[in-house]
PDB file of all heavy atoms in Angstrom:
ATOM      1  N   LYS M  72     -44.341  -3.690  29.420  1.00 91.00           N
ATOM      2  CA  LYS M  72     -43.994  -4.198  28.094  1.00 91.00           C
ATOM      3  C   LYS M  72     -44.626  -3.342  27.000  1.00 91.00           C
ATOM      4  O   LYS M  72     -43.943  -2.921  26.063  1.00 91.00           O
ATOM      5  CB  LYS M  72     -44.448  -5.648  27.966  1.00 91.00           C
ATOM      6  CG  LYS M  72     -44.132  -6.269  26.624  1.00 91.00           C
ATOM      7  CD  LYS M  72     -44.643  -7.695  26.554  1.00 91.00           C
ATOM      8  CE  LYS M  72     -43.561  -8.572  27.078  1.00 91.00           C
ATOM      9  NZ  LYS M  72     -43.768  -9.993  26.793  1.00 91.00           N
ATOM     10  N   ILE M  73     -45.913  -3.066  27.140  1.00 92.00           N
ATOM     11  CA  ILE M  73     -46.614  -2.280  26.115  1.00 92.00           C
ATOM     12  C   ILE M  73     -46.080  -0.851  26.062  1.00 92.00           C
ATOM     13  O   ILE M  73     -45.843  -0.314  24.977  1.00 92.00           O
ATOM     14  CB  ILE M  73     -48.135  -2.302  26.383  1.00 92.00           C
ATOM     15  CG1 ILE M  73     -48.665  -3.701  26.131  1.00 92.00           C
ATOM     16  CG2 ILE M  73     -48.858  -1.281  25.519  1.00 92.00           C
ATOM     17  CD1 ILE M  73     -50.103  -3.892  26.523  1.00 92.00           C
ATOM     18  N   THR M  74     -45.871  -0.249  27.213  1.00 92.00           N
ATOM     19  CA  THR M  74     -45.343   1.114  27.245  1.00 92.00           C
ATOM     20  C   THR M  74     -43.939   1.170  26.647  1.00 92.00           C
ATOM     21  O   THR M  74     -43.621   2.084  25.886  1.00 92.00           O
ATOM     22  CB  THR M  74     -45.322   1.654  28.682  1.00 92.00           C
ATOM     23  OG1 THR M  74     -46.616   1.527  29.242  1.00 92.00           O
ATOM     24  CG2 THR M  74     -44.889   3.101  28.716  1.00 92.00           C
ATOM     25  N   GLY M  75     -43.104   0.206  26.973  1.00 91.00           N
ATOM     26  CA  GLY M  75     -41.746   0.174  26.438  1.00 91.00           C
ATOM     27  C   GLY M  75     -41.718  -0.030  24.941  1.00 91.00           C
ATOM     28  O   GLY M  75     -40.965   0.628  24.221  1.00 91.00           O
ATOM     29  N   ILE M  76     -42.549  -0.938  24.441  1.00 93.00           N
ATOM     30  CA  ILE M  76     -42.560  -1.213  23.002  1.00 93.00           C
ATOM     31  C   ILE M  76     -43.109  -0.021  22.227  1.00 93.00           C
ATOM     32  O   ILE M  76     -42.508   0.415  21.240  1.00 93.00           O
ATOM     33  CB  ILE M  76     -43.369  -2.495  22.707  1.00 93.00           C
ATOM     34  CG1 ILE M  76     -42.612  -3.724  23.217  1.00 93.00           C
ATOM     35  CG2 ILE M  76     -43.643  -2.636  21.214  1.00 93.00           C
ATOM     36  CD1 ILE M  76     -43.391  -5.008  23.137  1.00 93.00           C
ATOM     37  N   ILE M  77     -44.233   0.529  22.674  1.00 94.00           N
ATOM     38  CA  ILE M  77     -44.834   1.658  21.946  1.00 94.00           C
ATOM     39  C   ILE M  77     -43.975   2.913  22.069  1.00 94.00           C
ATOM     40  O   ILE M  77     -43.731   3.609  21.083  1.00 94.00           O
ATOM     41  CB  ILE M  77     -46.268   1.915  22.439  1.00 94.00           C
ATOM     42  CG1 ILE M  77     -47.170   0.752  22.018  1.00 94.00           C
ATOM     43  CG2 ILE M  77     -46.806   3.239  21.897  1.00 94.00           C
ATOM     44  CD1 ILE M  77     -48.563   0.833  22.561  1.00 94.00           C
ATOM     45  N   GLY M  78     -43.489   3.213  23.263  1.00 92.00           N
ATOM     46  CA  GLY M  78     -42.688   4.424  23.459  1.00 92.00           C
ATOM     47  C   GLY M  78     -41.372   4.383  22.724  1.00 92.00           C
ATOM     48  O   GLY M  78     -41.013   5.313  21.998  1.00 92.00           O
ATOM     49  N   ASN M  79     -40.634   3.291  22.896  1.00 91.00           N
ATOM     50  CA  ASN M  79     -39.348   3.180  22.199  1.00 91.00           C
ATOM     51  C   ASN M  79     -39.550   3.055  20.696  1.00 91.00           C
ATOM     52  O   ASN M  79     -38.745   3.565  19.910  1.00 91.00           O
ATOM     53  CB  ASN M  79     -38.555   1.993  22.737  1.00 91.00           C
ATOM     54  CG  ASN M  79     -37.999   2.256  24.102  1.00 91.00           C
ATOM     55  OD1 ASN M  79     -37.407   3.290  24.346  1.00 91.00           O
ATOM     56  ND2 ASN M  79     -38.210   1.336  25.020  1.00 91.00           N
ATOM     57  N   GLY M  80     -40.638   2.412  20.273  1.00 92.00           N
ATOM     58  CA  GLY M  80     -40.935   2.341  18.843  1.00 92.00           C
ATOM     59  C   GLY M  80     -41.214   3.708  18.245  1.00 92.00           C
ATOM     60  O   GLY M  80     -40.799   4.005  17.127  1.00 92.00           O
ATOM     61  N   ALA M  81     -41.925   4.548  18.997  1.00 91.00           N
ATOM     62  CA  ALA M  81     -42.201   5.910  18.513  1.00 91.00           C
ATOM     63  C   ALA M  81     -40.922   6.728  18.398  1.00 91.00           C
ATOM     64  O   ALA M  81     -40.729   7.462  17.423  1.00 91.00           O
ATOM     65  CB  ALA M  81     -43.191   6.602  19.443  1.00 91.00           C
ATOM     66  N   VAL M  82     -40.040   6.595  19.375  1.00 89.00           N
ATOM     67  CA  VAL M  82     -38.769   7.319  19.314  1.00 89.00           C
ATOM     68  C   VAL M  82     -37.918   6.799  18.158  1.00 89.00           C
ATOM     69  O   VAL M  82     -37.268   7.581  17.456  1.00 89.00           O
ATOM     70  CB  VAL M  82     -38.019   7.226  20.665  1.00 89.00           C
ATOM     71  CG1 VAL M  82     -36.643   7.835  20.561  1.00 89.00           C
ATOM     72  CG2 VAL M  82     -38.810   7.911  21.753  1.00 89.00           C
ATOM     73  N   ILE M  83     -37.939   5.501  17.919  1.00 89.00           N
ATOM     74  CA  ILE M  83     -37.197   4.931  16.788  1.00 89.00           C
ATOM     75  C   ILE M  83     -37.756   5.458  15.472  1.00 89.00           C
ATOM     76  O   ILE M  83     -37.000   5.794  14.555  1.00 89.00           O
ATOM     77  CB  ILE M  83     -37.237   3.393  16.839  1.00 89.00           C
ATOM     78  CG1 ILE M  83     -36.327   2.887  17.952  1.00 89.00           C
ATOM     79  CG2 ILE M  83     -36.824   2.780  15.512  1.00 89.00           C
ATOM     80  CD1 ILE M  83     -36.427   1.401  18.222  1.00 89.00           C
ATOM     81  N   MET M  84     -39.083   5.556  15.383  1.00 90.00           N
ATOM     82  CA  MET M  84     -39.693   6.091  14.153  1.00 90.00           C
ATOM     83  C   MET M  84     -39.255   7.532  13.903  1.00 90.00           C
ATOM     84  O   MET M  84     -38.966   7.903  12.763  1.00 90.00           O
ATOM     85  CB  MET M  84     -41.223   6.039  14.254  1.00 90.00           C
ATOM     86  CG  MET M  84     -41.818   4.664  14.162  1.00 90.00           C
ATOM     87  SD  MET M  84     -41.700   3.958  12.538  1.00 90.00           S
ATOM     88  CE  MET M  84     -42.831   4.989  11.650  1.00 90.00           C
ATOM     89  N   LEU M  85     -39.207   8.337  14.962  1.00 85.00           N
ATOM     90  CA  LEU M  85     -38.874   9.755  14.786  1.00 85.00           C
ATOM     91  C   LEU M  85     -37.390  10.020  14.633  1.00 85.00           C
ATOM     92  O   LEU M  85     -37.003  11.031  14.039  1.00 85.00           O
ATOM     93  CB  LEU M  85     -39.420  10.558  15.969  1.00 85.00           C
ATOM     94  CG  LEU M  85     -40.934  10.671  16.047  1.00 85.00           C
ATOM     95  CD1 LEU M  85     -41.345  11.381  17.324  1.00 85.00           C
ATOM     96  CD2 LEU M  85     -41.479  11.392  14.839  1.00 85.00           C
ATOM     97  N   THR M  86     -36.538   9.155  15.185  1.00 83.00           N
ATOM     98  CA  THR M  86     -35.102   9.448  15.155  1.00 83.00           C
ATOM     99  C   THR M  86     -34.308   8.600  14.173  1.00 83.00           C
ATOM    100  O   THR M  86     -33.196   8.981  13.815  1.00 83.00           O
ATOM    101  CB  THR M  86     -34.480   9.273  16.545  1.00 83.00           C
ATOM    102  OG1 THR M  86     -34.657   7.926  16.977  1.00 83.00           O
ATOM    103  CG2 THR M  86     -35.075  10.242  17.538  1.00 83.00           C
ATOM    104  N   ILE M  87     -34.864   7.483  13.724  1.00 83.00           N
ATOM    105  CA  ILE M  87     -34.126   6.628  12.788  1.00 83.00           C
ATOM    106  C   ILE M  87     -34.845   6.559  11.441  1.00 83.00           C
ATOM    107  O   ILE M  87     -34.286   6.908  10.402  1.00 83.00           O
ATOM    108  CB  ILE M  87     -33.939   5.207  13.358  1.00 83.00           C
ATOM    109  CG1 ILE M  87     -33.129   5.240  14.641  1.00 83.00           C
ATOM    110  CG2 ILE M  87     -33.242   4.314  12.342  1.00 83.00           C
ATOM    111  CD1 ILE M  87     -33.040   3.909  15.356  1.00 83.00           C
ATOM    112  N   ILE M  88     -36.094   6.125  11.447  1.00 86.00           N
ATOM    113  CA  ILE M  88     -36.798   5.845  10.199  1.00 86.00           C
ATOM    114  C   ILE M  88     -37.157   7.123   9.444  1.00 86.00           C
ATOM    115  O   ILE M  88     -36.937   7.208   8.232  1.00 86.00           O
ATOM    116  CB  ILE M  88     -38.034   4.972  10.480  1.00 86.00           C
ATOM    117  CG1 ILE M  88     -37.563   3.625  11.026  1.00 86.00           C
ATOM    118  CG2 ILE M  88     -38.885   4.795   9.232  1.00 86.00           C
ATOM    119  CD1 ILE M  88     -38.643   2.721  11.508  1.00 86.00           C
ATOM    120  N   LEU M  89     -37.682   8.129  10.124  1.00 84.00           N
ATOM    121  CA  LEU M  89     -38.051   9.373   9.449  1.00 84.00           C
ATOM    122  C   LEU M  89     -36.849  10.089   8.831  1.00 84.00           C
ATOM    123  O   LEU M  89     -36.904  10.468   7.656  1.00 84.00           O
ATOM    124  CB  LEU M  89     -38.814  10.288  10.409  1.00 84.00           C
ATOM    125  CG  LEU M  89     -39.394  11.557   9.806  1.00 84.00           C
ATOM    126  CD1 LEU M  89     -40.434  11.211   8.748  1.00 84.00           C
ATOM    127  CD2 LEU M  89     -40.014  12.411  10.882  1.00 84.00           C
TER     128      LEU M  89
END
Side-chain angles (χ1 to χ4, degrees):
K72 180 182 271 193
I73 291 173
T74 306
I76 290 173
I77 292 174
N79 287 312
V82 174
I83 287 172
M84 288 290 291
L85 291 175
T86 60
I87 298 173
I88 296 173
L89 186 63

